[in-house]
Amino acid sequence: MPNRRSYYGIDSRDMHPRISQNFTYVSSCVKYMIFLLNFIFWLFGGLLMGIGVYAFMDKLQSTGWVRLETFYDVILNISLVMIIAGALVFIVSCAGCLGALRENTCLLKFYSMCLLLFFLLEMAVAVMGFVFPQNMQSFLEESFTDNIIKQYRDDPDLQNLIDFAQQEFKCCGLSNAGYQDWGKNEYFNCSSPSVEKCGVPYSCCINATDISSGLVNIMCGYSVQQQSVAAASKRIWTSGCIEIVRVWSERNLYAISGVALGIALIQLFVIYLAKTLEGQIDLQKSRWNS
């Protein structure tokens, strides 16, 4: 039997380049870039979840109850949405951090799969919003108008969000009915025994704040539901917020598209980094096993 040395006295192993024992296929740059990015989002997710828990407990103590009977009760509960969103960001980014730091391909696959799922959902919403804006508007009006209007006074966080949106976008109500949407609320309904009957929230008013005193006039929207659109428009904004937001989006389409494209490219880049690190780790494992 001929030994491993050739007839010319040269070891066959010398014919192949030797790899140092300290050599690794895993790039430190890729590894720690993924770790750093996800560490930042991990902190953000924990902060968001903490704020949501604090707001939820504060609301529970102040109101004594939180209604969570339907799907709409959950998604319209701002503090609960913050908890769920924070938990998702916390878990996914934690998987990215540990997967990169410990070079664990299972965690990295879970991480990249979650990012891809988020990306596809965002793309689906973007396509519906930009390609079929009227259909999206109709869906939002039919699905959320009644629930949001009816829960206005039941949830302080939702109330603050609605007031902020109506003041910022200069609108009143949600659907094409505009300010007449508030007739669906038990406090603003014209058959209500409340002093606010046939009225709208102060955030609908064109001039809700008294210039001389600087105080908000919460009575500025009283009884406007009994007035025509022309008469009411002198005191309040009459158009629904969904239509106003749609028009605003169309006017700022290029800016919104640019931001959305930037976010999408960042997500794809991070997914690419995760898949690259997975491949490098598998290559390193195959070297150890050989």
Side-chain angles (χ1 to χ4, degrees):
M1 289 289 293
N3 57 17
R4 299 182 67 179
R5 189 170 295 276
S6 70
Y7 293 107
Y8 297 99
I10 301 175
D11 193 333
S12 60
R13 290 174 295 181
D14 295 337
M15 298 177 65
H16 302 282
R18 294 182 179 180
I19 300 177
S20 170
Q21 293 295 323
N22 296 325
F23 175 80
T24 177
Y25 291 104
V26 178
S27 170
S28 298
C29 180
V30 174
K31 175 179 176 179
Y32 289 107
M33 186 180 295
I34 295 175
F35 172 78
L36 182 60
L37 287 172
N38 284 281
F39 181 73
I40 295 172
F41 278 99
W42 179 73
L43 292 177
F44 173 75
L47 178 64
L48 189 65
M49 191 164 47
I51 294 173
V53 170
Y54 175 80
F56 184 83
M57 296 305 297
D58 182 66
K59 181 165 56 180
L60 186 62
Q61 291 177 357
S62 61
T63 60
W65 65 284
V66 177
R67 185 171 63 183
L68 299 174
E69 299 173 356
T70 65
F71 172 73
Y72 294 104
D73 291 338
V74 175
I75 63 175
L76 295 179
N77 191 312
I78 308 301
S79 56
L80 196 57
V81 169
M82 291 177 66
I83 294 173
I84 296 173
L88 282 174
V89 173
F90 186 88
I91 292 171
V92 173
S93 57
C94 183
C97 280
L98 293 178
L101 195 62
R102 303 297 299 173
E103 298 181 7
N104 188 307
T105 54
C106 291
L107 287 175
L108 286 173
K109 287 178 181 178
F110 169 77
Y111 170 71
S112 57
M113 184 178 64
C114 288
L115 286 186
L116 182 60
L117 180 61
F118 295 157
F119 174 78
L120 293 176
L121 289 175
E122 290 166 9
M123 290 300 101
V125 173
V127 168
M128 286 296 298
F130 290 109
V131 180
F132 307 105
Q134 295 292 344
N135 293 1
M136 178 65 78
Q137 180 178 345
S138 299
F139 169 75
L140 292 175
E141 289 180 355
E142 294 172 3
S143 302
F144 292 100
T145 298
D146 289 357
N147 292 282
I148 290 177
I149 296 297
K150 290 177 181 177
Q151 295 185 33
Y152 174 74
R153 284 289 170 78
D154 297 334
D155 188 336
D157 294 332
L158 181 62
Q159 178 175 330
N160 292 332
L161 179 63
I162 293 172
D163 287 336
F164 173 78
Q166 290 188 149
Q167 289 175 318
E168 285 296 312
F169 289 100
K170 299 179 179 179
C171 55
C172 189
L174 292 177
S175 70
N176 287 328
Y179 69 104
Q180 296 292 347
D181 280 340
W182 289 105
K184 300 173 183 177
N185 185 278
E186 60 181 347
Y187 295 96
F188 299 108
N189 190 284
C190 290
S191 61
S192 171
S194 169
V195 294
E196 298 175 303
K197 65 179 182 179
C198 285
V200 295
Y202 75 91
S203 55
C204 289
C205 296
I206 297 175
N207 296 308
T209 305
D210 189 288
I211 299 177
S212 58
S213 64
L215 299 176
V216 175
N217 178 15
I218 61 173
M219 301 173 62
C220 60
Y222 282 16
S223 303
V224 294
Q225 290 185 49
Q226 295 176 322
Q227 300 178 2
S228 64
V229 176
S233 62
K234 297 178 181 178
R235 296 170 54 188
I236 64 169
W237 311 110
T238 56
S239 299
C241 290
I242 294 178
E243 172 64 16
I244 295 295
V245 171
R246 186 185 67 80
V247 172
W248 176 86
S249 300
E250 290 178 351
R251 290 176 180 172
N252 298 273
L253 182 61
Y254 292 113
I256 295 174
S257 300
V259 172
L261 180 61
I263 294 174
L265 290 176
I266 291 172
Q267 286 179 303
L268 290 175
F269 176 68
V270 175
I271 292 173
Y272 167 76
L273 289 179
K275 300 305 290 184
T276 300
L277 185 59
E278 281 181 45
Q280 293 174 348
I281 294 171
D282 288 336
L283 195 60
Q284 184 67 20
K285 285 181 179 179
S286 65
R287 181 198 168 203
W288 290 337
N289 295 331
S290 61

PDB file of all heavy atoms in Angstrom, residues 54-66 76-80 154-158:
ATOM      1  N   TYR A  54     -48.321  50.633  32.184  1.00  0.00           N
ATOM      2  CA  TYR A  54     -48.596  51.726  33.127  1.00  0.00           C
ATOM      3  C   TYR A  54     -49.917  52.415  32.778  1.00  0.00           C
ATOM      4  O   TYR A  54     -50.750  52.674  33.670  1.00  0.00           O
ATOM      5  CB  TYR A  54     -47.453  52.739  33.103  1.00  0.00           C
ATOM      6  CG  TYR A  54     -47.708  53.958  33.944  1.00  0.00           C
ATOM      7  CD1 TYR A  54     -47.521  53.933  35.320  1.00  0.00           C
ATOM      8  CD2 TYR A  54     -48.172  55.144  33.360  1.00  0.00           C
ATOM      9  CE1 TYR A  54     -47.763  55.065  36.103  1.00  0.00           C
ATOM     10  CE2 TYR A  54     -48.407  56.268  34.118  1.00  0.00           C
ATOM     11  CZ  TYR A  54     -48.209  56.222  35.497  1.00  0.00           C
ATOM     12  OH  TYR A  54     -48.467  57.332  36.258  1.00  0.00           O
ATOM     13  N   ALA A  55     -50.128  52.710  31.490  1.00  0.00           N
ATOM     14  CA  ALA A  55     -51.367  53.373  31.062  1.00  0.00           C
ATOM     15  C   ALA A  55     -52.575  52.479  31.293  1.00  0.00           C
ATOM     16  O   ALA A  55     -53.643  52.953  31.713  1.00  0.00           O
ATOM     17  CB  ALA A  55     -51.265  53.757  29.583  1.00  0.00           C
ATOM     18  N   PHE A  56     -52.429  51.178  31.036  1.00  0.00           N
ATOM     19  CA  PHE A  56     -53.540  50.238  31.230  1.00  0.00           C
ATOM     20  C   PHE A  56     -53.926  50.151  32.713  1.00  0.00           C
ATOM     21  O   PHE A  56     -55.115  50.183  33.059  1.00  0.00           O
ATOM     22  CB  PHE A  56     -53.140  48.859  30.704  1.00  0.00           C
ATOM     23  CG  PHE A  56     -54.244  47.839  30.760  1.00  0.00           C
ATOM     24  CD1 PHE A  56     -55.201  47.775  29.753  1.00  0.00           C
ATOM     25  CD2 PHE A  56     -54.340  46.953  31.818  1.00  0.00           C
ATOM     26  CE1 PHE A  56     -56.227  46.838  29.795  1.00  0.00           C
ATOM     27  CE2 PHE A  56     -55.358  46.011  31.874  1.00  0.00           C
ATOM     28  CZ  PHE A  56     -56.297  45.954  30.865  1.00  0.00           C
ATOM     29  N   MET A  57     -52.933  50.045  33.595  1.00  0.00           N
ATOM     30  CA  MET A  57     -53.209  49.946  35.033  1.00  0.00           C
ATOM     31  C   MET A  57     -53.794  51.260  35.567  1.00  0.00           C
ATOM     32  O   MET A  57     -54.684  51.246  36.417  1.00  0.00           O
ATOM     33  CB  MET A  57     -51.934  49.587  35.789  1.00  0.00           C
ATOM     34  CG  MET A  57     -51.365  48.211  35.438  1.00  0.00           C
ATOM     35  SD  MET A  57     -52.560  46.866  35.643  1.00  0.00           S
ATOM     36  CE  MET A  57     -52.873  46.976  37.406  1.00  0.00           C
ATOM     37  N   ASP A  58     -53.286  52.376  35.056  1.00  0.00           N
ATOM     38  CA  ASP A  58     -53.808  53.676  35.485  1.00  0.00           C
ATOM     39  C   ASP A  58     -55.266  53.838  35.074  1.00  0.00           C
ATOM     40  O   ASP A  58     -56.100  54.330  35.851  1.00  0.00           O
ATOM     41  CB  ASP A  58     -52.954  54.788  34.880  1.00  0.00           C
ATOM     42  CG  ASP A  58     -53.409  56.171  35.326  1.00  0.00           C
ATOM     43  OD1 ASP A  58     -53.290  56.475  36.527  1.00  0.00           O
ATOM     44  OD2 ASP A  58     -53.889  56.944  34.468  1.00  0.00           O
ATOM     45  N   LYS A  59     -55.589  53.411  33.852  1.00  0.00           N
ATOM     46  CA  LYS A  59     -56.978  53.488  33.388  1.00  0.00           C
ATOM     47  C   LYS A  59     -57.873  52.538  34.169  1.00  0.00           C
ATOM     48  O   LYS A  59     -59.015  52.867  34.488  1.00  0.00           O
ATOM     49  CB  LYS A  59     -57.023  53.168  31.896  1.00  0.00           C
ATOM     50  CG  LYS A  59     -58.402  53.225  31.276  1.00  0.00           C
ATOM     51  CD  LYS A  59     -58.332  53.266  29.767  1.00  0.00           C
ATOM     52  CE  LYS A  59     -57.559  52.123  29.191  1.00  0.00           C
ATOM     53  NZ  LYS A  59     -57.508  52.173  27.709  1.00  0.00           N
ATOM     54  N   LEU A  60     -57.338  51.359  34.500  1.00  0.00           N
ATOM     55  CA  LEU A  60     -58.109  50.383  35.272  1.00  0.00           C
ATOM     56  C   LEU A  60     -58.425  50.908  36.660  1.00  0.00           C
ATOM     57  O   LEU A  60     -59.527  50.717  37.189  1.00  0.00           O
ATOM     58  CB  LEU A  60     -57.331  49.066  35.357  1.00  0.00           C
ATOM     59  CG  LEU A  60     -58.042  47.875  36.010  1.00  0.00           C
ATOM     60  CD1 LEU A  60     -59.292  47.500  35.220  1.00  0.00           C
ATOM     61  CD2 LEU A  60     -57.104  46.680  36.110  1.00  0.00           C
ATOM     62  N   GLN A  61     -57.465  51.607  37.262  1.00  0.00           N
ATOM     63  CA  GLN A  61     -57.687  52.167  38.601  1.00  0.00           C
ATOM     64  C   GLN A  61     -58.643  53.357  38.573  1.00  0.00           C
ATOM     65  O   GLN A  61     -59.444  53.545  39.494  1.00  0.00           O
ATOM     66  CB  GLN A  61     -56.351  52.584  39.216  1.00  0.00           C
ATOM     67  CG  GLN A  61     -55.441  51.415  39.560  1.00  0.00           C
ATOM     68  CD  GLN A  61     -54.097  51.860  40.099  1.00  0.00           C
ATOM     69  OE1 GLN A  61     -53.801  53.053  40.171  1.00  0.00           O
ATOM     70  NE2 GLN A  61     -53.255  50.896  40.475  1.00  0.00           N
ATOM     71  N   SER A  62     -58.548  54.162  37.502  1.00  0.00           N
ATOM     72  CA  SER A  62     -59.388  55.367  37.439  1.00  0.00           C
ATOM     73  C   SER A  62     -60.833  55.063  37.045  1.00  0.00           C
ATOM     74  O   SER A  62     -61.772  55.659  37.577  1.00  0.00           O
ATOM     75  CB  SER A  62     -58.789  56.376  36.454  1.00  0.00           C
ATOM     76  OG  SER A  62     -58.724  55.816  35.154  1.00  0.00           O
ATOM     77  N   THR A  63     -61.027  54.131  36.117  1.00  0.00           N
ATOM     78  CA  THR A  63     -62.383  53.806  35.660  1.00  0.00           C
ATOM     79  C   THR A  63     -62.987  52.607  36.382  1.00  0.00           C
ATOM     80  O   THR A  63     -64.203  52.460  36.432  1.00  0.00           O
ATOM     81  CB  THR A  63     -62.380  53.513  34.145  1.00  0.00           C
ATOM     82  OG1 THR A  63     -61.517  52.401  33.861  1.00  0.00           O
ATOM     83  CG2 THR A  63     -61.872  54.732  33.373  1.00  0.00           C
ATOM     84  N   GLY A  64     -62.123  51.741  36.925  1.00  0.00           N
ATOM     85  CA  GLY A  64     -62.616  50.572  37.654  1.00  0.00           C
ATOM     86  C   GLY A  64     -62.906  49.378  36.771  1.00  0.00           C
ATOM     87  O   GLY A  64     -63.138  48.279  37.259  1.00  0.00           O
ATOM     88  N   TRP A  65     -62.887  49.543  35.444  1.00  0.00           N
ATOM     89  CA  TRP A  65     -63.153  48.434  34.544  1.00  0.00           C
ATOM     90  C   TRP A  65     -62.604  48.744  33.155  1.00  0.00           C
ATOM     91  O   TRP A  65     -62.423  49.907  32.789  1.00  0.00           O
ATOM     92  CB  TRP A  65     -64.658  48.172  34.424  1.00  0.00           C
ATOM     93  CG  TRP A  65     -65.411  49.301  33.775  1.00  0.00           C
ATOM     94  CD1 TRP A  65     -65.738  50.494  34.344  1.00  0.00           C
ATOM     95  CD2 TRP A  65     -65.870  49.369  32.422  1.00  0.00           C
ATOM     96  NE1 TRP A  65     -66.390  51.301  33.447  1.00  0.00           N
ATOM     97  CE2 TRP A  65     -66.489  50.630  32.257  1.00  0.00           C
ATOM     98  CE3 TRP A  65     -65.825  48.484  31.347  1.00  0.00           C
ATOM     99  CZ2 TRP A  65     -67.054  51.025  31.064  1.00  0.00           C
ATOM    100  CZ3 TRP A  65     -66.389  48.874  30.150  1.00  0.00           C
ATOM    101  CH2 TRP A  65     -67.000  50.127  30.010  1.00  0.00           C
ATOM    102  N   VAL A  66     -62.306  47.710  32.407  1.00  0.00           N
ATOM    103  CA  VAL A  66     -61.861  47.825  31.018  1.00  0.00           C
ATOM    104  C   VAL A  66     -62.610  46.773  30.211  1.00  0.00           C
ATOM    105  O   VAL A  66     -62.499  45.584  30.491  1.00  0.00           O
ATOM    106  CB  VAL A  66     -60.340  47.613  30.876  1.00  0.00           C
ATOM    107  CG1 VAL A  66     -59.947  47.669  29.407  1.00  0.00           C
ATOM    108  CG2 VAL A  66     -59.571  48.663  31.668  1.00  0.00           C
ATOM    109  N   LEU A  76     -59.085  49.022  19.785  1.00  0.00           N
ATOM    110  CA  LEU A  76     -59.359  50.427  20.078  1.00  0.00           C
ATOM    111  C   LEU A  76     -58.884  50.821  21.469  1.00  0.00           C
ATOM    112  O   LEU A  76     -59.018  51.982  21.859  1.00  0.00           O
ATOM    113  CB  LEU A  76     -60.858  50.724  19.935  1.00  0.00           C
ATOM    114  CG  LEU A  76     -61.431  50.594  18.523  1.00  0.00           C
ATOM    115  CD1 LEU A  76     -62.926  50.899  18.521  1.00  0.00           C
ATOM    116  CD2 LEU A  76     -60.702  51.515  17.547  1.00  0.00           C
ATOM    117  N   ASN A  77     -58.330  49.861  22.207  1.00  0.00           N
ATOM    118  CA  ASN A  77     -57.748  50.152  23.513  1.00  0.00           C
ATOM    119  C   ASN A  77     -56.276  50.507  23.294  1.00  0.00           C
ATOM    120  O   ASN A  77     -55.440  49.637  23.086  1.00  0.00           O
ATOM    121  CB  ASN A  77     -57.888  48.932  24.429  1.00  0.00           C
ATOM    122  CG  ASN A  77     -57.541  49.248  25.875  1.00  0.00           C
ATOM    123  OD1 ASN A  77     -56.513  49.852  26.146  1.00  0.00           O
ATOM    124  ND2 ASN A  77     -58.403  48.831  26.779  1.00  0.00           N
ATOM    125  N   ILE A  78     -55.954  51.804  23.335  1.00  0.00           N
ATOM    126  CA  ILE A  78     -54.625  52.279  22.969  1.00  0.00           C
ATOM    127  C   ILE A  78     -53.536  51.657  23.826  1.00  0.00           C
ATOM    128  O   ILE A  78     -52.496  51.219  23.318  1.00  0.00           O
ATOM    129  CB  ILE A  78     -54.548  53.810  23.070  1.00  0.00           C
ATOM    130  CG1 ILE A  78     -55.706  54.462  22.290  1.00  0.00           C
ATOM    131  CG2 ILE A  78     -53.208  54.310  22.554  1.00  0.00           C
ATOM    132  CD1 ILE A  78     -55.728  54.117  20.833  1.00  0.00           C
ATOM    133  N   SER A  79     -53.756  51.589  25.141  1.00  0.00           N
ATOM    134  CA  SER A  79     -52.742  51.039  26.032  1.00  0.00           C
ATOM    135  C   SER A  79     -52.503  49.557  25.752  1.00  0.00           C
ATOM    136  O   SER A  79     -51.359  49.086  25.786  1.00  0.00           O
ATOM    137  CB  SER A  79     -53.150  51.241  27.494  1.00  0.00           C
ATOM    138  OG  SER A  79     -54.420  50.665  27.755  1.00  0.00           O
ATOM    139  N   LEU A  80     -53.572  48.829  25.450  1.00  0.00           N
ATOM    140  CA  LEU A  80     -53.430  47.405  25.152  1.00  0.00           C
ATOM    141  C   LEU A  80     -52.708  47.189  23.826  1.00  0.00           C
ATOM    142  O   LEU A  80     -51.893  46.258  23.691  1.00  0.00           O
ATOM    143  CB  LEU A  80     -54.801  46.735  25.134  1.00  0.00           C
ATOM    144  CG  LEU A  80     -54.833  45.209  25.217  1.00  0.00           C
ATOM    145  CD1 LEU A  80     -54.129  44.725  26.470  1.00  0.00           C
ATOM    146  CD2 LEU A  80     -56.262  44.699  25.174  1.00  0.00           C
ATOM    147  N   ASP A 154     -65.945  56.295  26.858  1.00  0.00           N
ATOM    148  CA  ASP A 154     -65.666  55.131  27.696  1.00  0.00           C
ATOM    149  C   ASP A 154     -64.176  54.915  27.919  1.00  0.00           C
ATOM    150  O   ASP A 154     -63.780  54.282  28.898  1.00  0.00           O
ATOM    151  CB  ASP A 154     -66.264  53.861  27.064  1.00  0.00           C
ATOM    152  CG  ASP A 154     -67.776  53.943  26.970  1.00  0.00           C
ATOM    153  OD1 ASP A 154     -68.381  54.676  27.774  1.00  0.00           O
ATOM    154  OD2 ASP A 154     -68.355  53.271  26.078  1.00  0.00           O
ATOM    155  N   ASP A 155     -63.352  55.381  27.004  1.00  0.00           N
ATOM    156  CA  ASP A 155     -61.911  55.163  27.078  1.00  0.00           C
ATOM    157  C   ASP A 155     -61.194  56.514  26.997  1.00  0.00           C
ATOM    158  O   ASP A 155     -61.173  57.148  25.951  1.00  0.00           O
ATOM    159  CB  ASP A 155     -61.461  54.251  25.925  1.00  0.00           C
ATOM    160  CG  ASP A 155     -60.018  53.818  26.050  1.00  0.00           C
ATOM    161  OD1 ASP A 155     -59.230  54.509  26.712  1.00  0.00           O
ATOM    162  OD2 ASP A 155     -59.669  52.765  25.474  1.00  0.00           O
ATOM    163  N   PRO A 156     -60.567  56.972  28.103  1.00  0.00           N
ATOM    164  CA  PRO A 156     -59.881  58.279  28.089  1.00  0.00           C
ATOM    165  C   PRO A 156     -58.769  58.369  27.049  1.00  0.00           C
ATOM    166  O   PRO A 156     -58.578  59.422  26.436  1.00  0.00           O
ATOM    167  CB  PRO A 156     -59.309  58.382  29.515  1.00  0.00           C
ATOM    168  CG  PRO A 156     -60.157  57.461  30.344  1.00  0.00           C
ATOM    169  CD  PRO A 156     -60.546  56.351  29.430  1.00  0.00           C
ATOM    170  N   ASP A 157     -58.020  57.265  26.852  1.00  0.00           N
ATOM    171  CA  ASP A 157     -56.934  57.288  25.861  1.00  0.00           C
ATOM    172  C   ASP A 157     -57.483  57.454  24.451  1.00  0.00           C
ATOM    173  O   ASP A 157     -56.939  58.215  23.648  1.00  0.00           O
ATOM    174  CB  ASP A 157     -56.121  55.992  25.948  1.00  0.00           C
ATOM    175  CG  ASP A 157     -55.385  55.865  27.268  1.00  0.00           C
ATOM    176  OD1 ASP A 157     -55.060  56.910  27.858  1.00  0.00           O
ATOM    177  OD2 ASP A 157     -55.136  54.732  27.714  1.00  0.00           O
ATOM    178  N   LEU A 158     -58.554  56.727  24.139  1.00  0.00           N
ATOM    179  CA  LEU A 158     -59.178  56.843  22.819  1.00  0.00           C
ATOM    180  C   LEU A 158     -59.763  58.237  22.636  1.00  0.00           C
ATOM    181  O   LEU A 158     -59.677  58.814  21.545  1.00  0.00           O
ATOM    182  CB  LEU A 158     -60.268  55.782  22.667  1.00  0.00           C
ATOM    183  CG  LEU A 158     -60.998  55.744  21.325  1.00  0.00           C
ATOM    184  CD1 LEU A 158     -60.039  55.427  20.195  1.00  0.00           C
ATOM    185  CD2 LEU A 158     -62.140  54.736  21.360  1.00  0.00           C
TER     186      LEU A 158
END
